[in-house]
Amino acid sequence: MSLLSTPAIVLGGIRLGEADRLVTFFTANHGKLKGVAKGARRMKNRFGASLEPFTHCKLILFEKGGDKLGRINQCDIAHSFQSLREDWNSIERASRMVDLITQLTPDGEVNQDIFALLLQGLSLLEEKKDPALSMMLFINRLIIYCGYQPRWDACMKCHLVFKGGTETALYFSPSAGGTFCAQCRNHSGALIPMSQATRAFLDALQKMDYVKSHRLRPSLAMQKECAVIFKNTLSYITGKSTQRFAKTPAPPLESVS
Ligand SMILES: [Zn+2]
């Protein structure tokens, strides 16, 4: 049995047995991991509010080795993110952040970038400046940190460099991980139409610091196009393929709902 100590963020938890709780964390030093909080559901328990979702804490856990679940020894709150649990919109957005990380990260794989991103993402949501934009920027960055880096600067097939303004019709392919010009749109996978402005915005985002990217002010139309692109990219990454992403050649989509 070894002792593990790490900064962590609570992703969620479920009841376990009569009085315990099984809690999932994303940690800075050990990636995603689960631990049992003994007696956490008793009226009097030593964990207090430290195991509430979104809590940034310092976790001390006894590892038991093999497939056995570790036991949470101590969880000290660094920042509770209490305000995110006080209104429905914040709960919904913060829950989406932790759910995406739960889905997209394998257990035990260390990724300090994703840990920092989640902490920054929750902090920016808490500031309530532009929560919808914060959410979109978080998803964009998470996709990149998961190792999926779409190519926005040139056509995937003919390598035409998009300089802006000249190419009006562009298409994004989640399965190819990049953009196609109108002449090369006969790609075998499904294609999502996108505007030049959205392509340029996503290209700029990829090269920009996450917090600084909150200064950008994409139009509502661009945000809508990004939402469709991210939704389909996440479906592709998590393997939740629909007929839209069938391997058999299908006519390119002109519009995606
Ligand atoms: Zn092309």
Side-chain angles (χ1 to χ4, degrees), residues 157-181:
K157 195 172 178 193
C158 72
H159 309 297
L160 169 76
V161 176
F162 304 131
K163 287 175 185 150
T166 49
E167 313 83 11
T168 48
L170 296 170
Y171 300 87
F172 176 68
S173 162
S175 59
T179 320
F180 289 85
C181 72

PDB file of all heavy atoms in Angstrom, residues 157-181:
ATOM      1  N   LYS A 157      -6.393  18.014 -49.052  1.00  0.00           N
ATOM      2  CA  LYS A 157      -6.090  17.232 -50.250  1.00  0.00           C
ATOM      3  C   LYS A 157      -5.122  17.964 -51.197  1.00  0.00           C
ATOM      4  O   LYS A 157      -4.051  17.459 -51.498  1.00  0.00           O
ATOM      5  CB  LYS A 157      -7.380  16.875 -50.978  1.00  0.00           C
ATOM      6  CG  LYS A 157      -7.190  15.783 -52.005  1.00  0.00           C
ATOM      7  CD  LYS A 157      -8.504  15.314 -52.564  1.00  0.00           C
ATOM      8  CE  LYS A 157      -8.269  14.240 -53.628  1.00  0.00           C
ATOM      9  NZ  LYS A 157      -9.492  13.986 -54.389  1.00  0.00           N
ATOM     10  N   CYS A 158      -5.497  19.162 -51.636  1.00  0.00           N
ATOM     11  CA  CYS A 158      -4.658  19.853 -52.632  1.00  0.00           C
ATOM     12  C   CYS A 158      -3.641  20.800 -51.977  1.00  0.00           C
ATOM     13  O   CYS A 158      -2.814  21.391 -52.657  1.00  0.00           O
ATOM     14  CB  CYS A 158      -5.535  20.603 -53.634  1.00  0.00           C
ATOM     15  SG  CYS A 158      -6.317  22.074 -52.926  1.00  0.00           S
ATOM     16  N   HIS A 159      -3.714  20.927 -50.648  1.00  0.00           N
ATOM     17  CA  HIS A 159      -2.775  21.751 -49.858  1.00  0.00           C
ATOM     18  C   HIS A 159      -2.845  23.245 -50.160  1.00  0.00           C
ATOM     19  O   HIS A 159      -1.922  23.994 -49.825  1.00  0.00           O
ATOM     20  CB  HIS A 159      -1.331  21.242 -50.009  1.00  0.00           C
ATOM     21  CG  HIS A 159      -1.214  19.767 -49.741  1.00  0.00           C
ATOM     22  ND1 HIS A 159      -1.504  19.217 -48.522  1.00  0.00           N
ATOM     23  CD2 HIS A 159      -0.895  18.734 -50.572  1.00  0.00           C
ATOM     24  CE1 HIS A 159      -1.349  17.898 -48.598  1.00  0.00           C
ATOM     25  NE2 HIS A 159      -0.993  17.572 -49.829  1.00  0.00           N
ATOM     26  N   LEU A 160      -3.908  23.660 -50.804  1.00  0.00           N
ATOM     27  CA  LEU A 160      -4.131  25.091 -51.026  1.00  0.00           C
ATOM     28  C   LEU A 160      -4.157  25.792 -49.671  1.00  0.00           C
ATOM     29  O   LEU A 160      -4.879  25.391 -48.767  1.00  0.00           O
ATOM     30  CB  LEU A 160      -5.481  25.293 -51.734  1.00  0.00           C
ATOM     31  CG  LEU A 160      -5.995  26.730 -51.825  1.00  0.00           C
ATOM     32  CD1 LEU A 160      -5.229  27.509 -52.896  1.00  0.00           C
ATOM     33  CD2 LEU A 160      -7.492  26.746 -52.139  1.00  0.00           C
ATOM     34  N   VAL A 161      -3.318  26.817 -49.534  1.00  0.00           N
ATOM     35  CA  VAL A 161      -3.276  27.558 -48.262  1.00  0.00           C
ATOM     36  C   VAL A 161      -4.402  28.588 -48.250  1.00  0.00           C
ATOM     37  O   VAL A 161      -4.535  29.384 -49.183  1.00  0.00           O
ATOM     38  CB  VAL A 161      -1.900  28.254 -48.078  1.00  0.00           C
ATOM     39  CG1 VAL A 161      -1.900  29.108 -46.806  1.00  0.00           C
ATOM     40  CG2 VAL A 161      -0.797  27.203 -48.010  1.00  0.00           C
ATOM     41  N   PHE A 162      -5.224  28.524 -47.202  1.00  0.00           N
ATOM     42  CA  PHE A 162      -6.347  29.457 -47.101  1.00  0.00           C
ATOM     43  C   PHE A 162      -5.842  30.778 -46.534  1.00  0.00           C
ATOM     44  O   PHE A 162      -5.487  30.857 -45.367  1.00  0.00           O
ATOM     45  CB  PHE A 162      -7.433  28.890 -46.174  1.00  0.00           C
ATOM     46  CG  PHE A 162      -7.940  27.526 -46.584  1.00  0.00           C
ATOM     47  CD1 PHE A 162      -8.034  26.502 -45.651  1.00  0.00           C
ATOM     48  CD2 PHE A 162      -8.337  27.275 -47.887  1.00  0.00           C
ATOM     49  CE1 PHE A 162      -8.511  25.252 -46.011  1.00  0.00           C
ATOM     50  CE2 PHE A 162      -8.817  26.012 -48.253  1.00  0.00           C
ATOM     51  CZ  PHE A 162      -8.898  25.007 -47.320  1.00  0.00           C
ATOM     52  N   LYS A 163      -5.845  31.782 -47.381  1.00  0.00           N
ATOM     53  CA  LYS A 163      -5.328  33.074 -46.924  1.00  0.00           C
ATOM     54  C   LYS A 163      -6.417  33.992 -46.406  1.00  0.00           C
ATOM     55  O   LYS A 163      -6.144  35.016 -45.818  1.00  0.00           O
ATOM     56  CB  LYS A 163      -4.566  33.758 -48.064  1.00  0.00           C
ATOM     57  CG  LYS A 163      -3.223  33.080 -48.324  1.00  0.00           C
ATOM     58  CD  LYS A 163      -2.517  33.678 -49.516  1.00  0.00           C
ATOM     59  CE  LYS A 163      -1.251  32.897 -49.813  1.00  0.00           C
ATOM     60  NZ  LYS A 163      -0.901  32.903 -51.216  1.00  0.00           N
ATOM     61  N   GLY A 164      -7.639  33.595 -46.636  1.00  0.00           N
ATOM     62  CA  GLY A 164      -8.751  34.418 -46.157  1.00  0.00           C
ATOM     63  C   GLY A 164      -9.313  35.274 -47.260  1.00  0.00           C
ATOM     64  O   GLY A 164      -8.559  35.917 -48.001  1.00  0.00           O
ATOM     65  N   GLY A 165     -10.624  35.263 -47.366  1.00  0.00           N
ATOM     66  CA  GLY A 165     -11.280  36.151 -48.307  1.00  0.00           C
ATOM     67  C   GLY A 165     -11.508  35.555 -49.686  1.00  0.00           C
ATOM     68  O   GLY A 165     -12.505  35.843 -50.323  1.00  0.00           O
ATOM     69  N   THR A 166     -10.604  34.691 -50.142  1.00  0.00           N
ATOM     70  CA  THR A 166     -10.741  34.187 -51.514  1.00  0.00           C
ATOM     71  C   THR A 166     -11.593  32.922 -51.612  1.00  0.00           C
ATOM     72  O   THR A 166     -12.362  32.760 -52.542  1.00  0.00           O
ATOM     73  CB  THR A 166      -9.355  33.892 -52.122  1.00  0.00           C
ATOM     74  OG1 THR A 166      -8.612  33.119 -51.186  1.00  0.00           O
ATOM     75  CG2 THR A 166      -8.619  35.177 -52.433  1.00  0.00           C
ATOM     76  N   GLU A 167     -11.453  32.035 -50.643  1.00  0.00           N
ATOM     77  CA  GLU A 167     -12.216  30.781 -50.706  1.00  0.00           C
ATOM     78  C   GLU A 167     -13.493  30.952 -49.892  1.00  0.00           C
ATOM     79  O   GLU A 167     -13.440  31.057 -48.672  1.00  0.00           O
ATOM     80  CB  GLU A 167     -11.403  29.593 -50.151  1.00  0.00           C
ATOM     81  CG  GLU A 167      -9.980  29.504 -50.665  1.00  0.00           C
ATOM     82  CD  GLU A 167      -9.032  30.399 -49.882  1.00  0.00           C
ATOM     83  OE1 GLU A 167      -9.436  30.913 -48.820  1.00  0.00           O
ATOM     84  OE2 GLU A 167      -7.919  30.600 -50.343  1.00  0.00           O
ATOM     85  N   THR A 168     -14.612  30.949 -50.552  1.00  0.00           N
ATOM     86  CA  THR A 168     -15.863  31.186 -49.827  1.00  0.00           C
ATOM     87  C   THR A 168     -16.430  29.899 -49.234  1.00  0.00           C
ATOM     88  O   THR A 168     -16.899  29.893 -48.110  1.00  0.00           O
ATOM     89  CB  THR A 168     -16.902  31.845 -50.734  1.00  0.00           C
ATOM     90  OG1 THR A 168     -16.942  31.123 -51.954  1.00  0.00           O
ATOM     91  CG2 THR A 168     -16.563  33.300 -50.990  1.00  0.00           C
ATOM     92  N   ALA A 169     -16.391  28.795 -49.998  1.00  0.00           N
ATOM     93  CA  ALA A 169     -16.984  27.547 -49.514  1.00  0.00           C
ATOM     94  C   ALA A 169     -15.886  26.627 -48.983  1.00  0.00           C
ATOM     95  O   ALA A 169     -14.958  26.270 -49.701  1.00  0.00           O
ATOM     96  CB  ALA A 169     -17.743  26.864 -50.639  1.00  0.00           C
ATOM     97  N   LEU A 170     -15.990  26.266 -47.717  1.00  0.00           N
ATOM     98  CA  LEU A 170     -15.009  25.371 -47.102  1.00  0.00           C
ATOM     99  C   LEU A 170     -15.772  24.282 -46.365  1.00  0.00           C
ATOM    100  O   LEU A 170     -16.923  24.466 -45.969  1.00  0.00           O
ATOM    101  CB  LEU A 170     -14.118  26.139 -46.126  1.00  0.00           C
ATOM    102  CG  LEU A 170     -13.240  27.233 -46.728  1.00  0.00           C
ATOM    103  CD1 LEU A 170     -12.614  28.055 -45.617  1.00  0.00           C
ATOM    104  CD2 LEU A 170     -12.158  26.626 -47.603  1.00  0.00           C
ATOM    105  N   TYR A 171     -15.099  23.148 -46.144  1.00  0.00           N
ATOM    106  CA  TYR A 171     -15.767  22.003 -45.524  1.00  0.00           C
ATOM    107  C   TYR A 171     -14.822  21.351 -44.526  1.00  0.00           C
ATOM    108  O   TYR A 171     -13.653  21.112 -44.842  1.00  0.00           O
ATOM    109  CB  TYR A 171     -16.165  20.981 -46.608  1.00  0.00           C
ATOM    110  CG  TYR A 171     -17.104  21.575 -47.619  1.00  0.00           C
ATOM    111  CD1 TYR A 171     -16.602  22.268 -48.735  1.00  0.00           C
ATOM    112  CD2 TYR A 171     -18.479  21.479 -47.459  1.00  0.00           C
ATOM    113  CE1 TYR A 171     -17.459  22.851 -49.659  1.00  0.00           C
ATOM    114  CE2 TYR A 171     -19.341  22.062 -48.379  1.00  0.00           C
ATOM    115  CZ  TYR A 171     -18.827  22.740 -49.474  1.00  0.00           C
ATOM    116  OH  TYR A 171     -19.679  23.324 -50.377  1.00  0.00           O
ATOM    117  N   PHE A 172     -15.361  21.029 -43.362  1.00  0.00           N
ATOM    118  CA  PHE A 172     -14.531  20.371 -42.341  1.00  0.00           C
ATOM    119  C   PHE A 172     -14.919  18.892 -42.243  1.00  0.00           C
ATOM    120  O   PHE A 172     -16.097  18.536 -42.257  1.00  0.00           O
ATOM    121  CB  PHE A 172     -14.725  21.036 -40.975  1.00  0.00           C
ATOM    122  CG  PHE A 172     -13.981  20.340 -39.878  1.00  0.00           C
ATOM    123  CD1 PHE A 172     -12.590  20.349 -39.847  1.00  0.00           C
ATOM    124  CD2 PHE A 172     -14.661  19.627 -38.887  1.00  0.00           C
ATOM    125  CE1 PHE A 172     -11.890  19.679 -38.843  1.00  0.00           C
ATOM    126  CE2 PHE A 172     -13.969  18.966 -37.889  1.00  0.00           C
ATOM    127  CZ  PHE A 172     -12.577  18.993 -37.873  1.00  0.00           C
ATOM    128  N   SER A 173     -13.904  18.059 -42.137  1.00  0.00           N
ATOM    129  CA  SER A 173     -14.144  16.619 -41.989  1.00  0.00           C
ATOM    130  C   SER A 173     -13.588  16.147 -40.643  1.00  0.00           C
ATOM    131  O   SER A 173     -12.376  16.129 -40.442  1.00  0.00           O
ATOM    132  CB  SER A 173     -13.430  15.856 -43.112  1.00  0.00           C
ATOM    133  OG  SER A 173     -13.303  14.487 -42.739  1.00  0.00           O
ATOM    134  N   PRO A 174     -14.459  15.748 -39.691  1.00  0.00           N
ATOM    135  CA  PRO A 174     -13.961  15.230 -38.414  1.00  0.00           C
ATOM    136  C   PRO A 174     -13.084  13.990 -38.585  1.00  0.00           C
ATOM    137  O   PRO A 174     -12.072  13.836 -37.903  1.00  0.00           O
ATOM    138  CB  PRO A 174     -15.238  14.896 -37.638  1.00  0.00           C
ATOM    139  CG  PRO A 174     -16.281  15.774 -38.227  1.00  0.00           C
ATOM    140  CD  PRO A 174     -15.935  15.863 -39.686  1.00  0.00           C
ATOM    141  N   SER A 175     -13.436  13.112 -39.519  1.00  0.00           N
ATOM    142  CA  SER A 175     -12.656  11.882 -39.665  1.00  0.00           C
ATOM    143  C   SER A 175     -11.286  12.154 -40.285  1.00  0.00           C
ATOM    144  O   SER A 175     -10.301  11.501 -39.942  1.00  0.00           O
ATOM    145  CB  SER A 175     -13.422  10.851 -40.500  1.00  0.00           C
ATOM    146  OG  SER A 175     -13.706  11.381 -41.766  1.00  0.00           O
ATOM    147  N   ALA A 176     -11.191  13.148 -41.175  1.00  0.00           N
ATOM    148  CA  ALA A 176      -9.896  13.485 -41.777  1.00  0.00           C
ATOM    149  C   ALA A 176      -9.116  14.449 -40.879  1.00  0.00           C
ATOM    150  O   ALA A 176      -7.912  14.604 -41.027  1.00  0.00           O
ATOM    151  CB  ALA A 176     -10.110  14.101 -43.153  1.00  0.00           C
ATOM    152  N   GLY A 177      -9.803  15.104 -39.961  1.00  0.00           N
ATOM    153  CA  GLY A 177      -9.157  16.037 -39.040  1.00  0.00           C
ATOM    154  C   GLY A 177      -8.683  17.300 -39.725  1.00  0.00           C
ATOM    155  O   GLY A 177      -7.602  17.811 -39.428  1.00  0.00           O
ATOM    156  N   GLY A 178      -9.482  17.801 -40.663  1.00  0.00           N
ATOM    157  CA  GLY A 178      -9.066  19.021 -41.330  1.00  0.00           C
ATOM    158  C   GLY A 178     -10.095  19.541 -42.306  1.00  0.00           C
ATOM    159  O   GLY A 178     -11.210  19.041 -42.404  1.00  0.00           O
ATOM    160  N   THR A 179      -9.659  20.574 -43.040  1.00  0.00           N
ATOM    161  CA  THR A 179     -10.546  21.339 -43.910  1.00  0.00           C
ATOM    162  C   THR A 179     -10.293  20.991 -45.383  1.00  0.00           C
ATOM    163  O   THR A 179      -9.156  20.692 -45.759  1.00  0.00           O
ATOM    164  CB  THR A 179     -10.252  22.850 -43.697  1.00  0.00           C
ATOM    165  OG1 THR A 179     -10.036  23.068 -42.300  1.00  0.00           O
ATOM    166  CG2 THR A 179     -11.379  23.722 -44.166  1.00  0.00           C
ATOM    167  N   PHE A 180     -11.360  21.040 -46.176  1.00  0.00           N
ATOM    168  CA  PHE A 180     -11.248  20.818 -47.620  1.00  0.00           C
ATOM    169  C   PHE A 180     -11.785  22.036 -48.363  1.00  0.00           C
ATOM    170  O   PHE A 180     -12.747  22.663 -47.906  1.00  0.00           O
ATOM    171  CB  PHE A 180     -12.068  19.589 -48.040  1.00  0.00           C
ATOM    172  CG  PHE A 180     -11.462  18.282 -47.584  1.00  0.00           C
ATOM    173  CD1 PHE A 180     -11.720  17.807 -46.309  1.00  0.00           C
ATOM    174  CD2 PHE A 180     -10.635  17.552 -48.427  1.00  0.00           C
ATOM    175  CE1 PHE A 180     -11.154  16.623 -45.870  1.00  0.00           C
ATOM    176  CE2 PHE A 180     -10.065  16.363 -47.987  1.00  0.00           C
ATOM    177  CZ  PHE A 180     -10.324  15.892 -46.710  1.00  0.00           C
ATOM    178  N   CYS A 181     -11.152  22.328 -49.503  1.00  0.00           N
ATOM    179  CA  CYS A 181     -11.681  23.412 -50.348  1.00  0.00           C
ATOM    180  C   CYS A 181     -12.856  22.872 -51.161  1.00  0.00           C
ATOM    181  O   CYS A 181     -13.101  21.662 -51.178  1.00  0.00           O
ATOM    182  CB  CYS A 181     -10.579  23.961 -51.255  1.00  0.00           C
ATOM    183  SG  CYS A 181     -10.100  22.834 -52.586  1.00  0.00           S
TER     184      CYS A 181
END
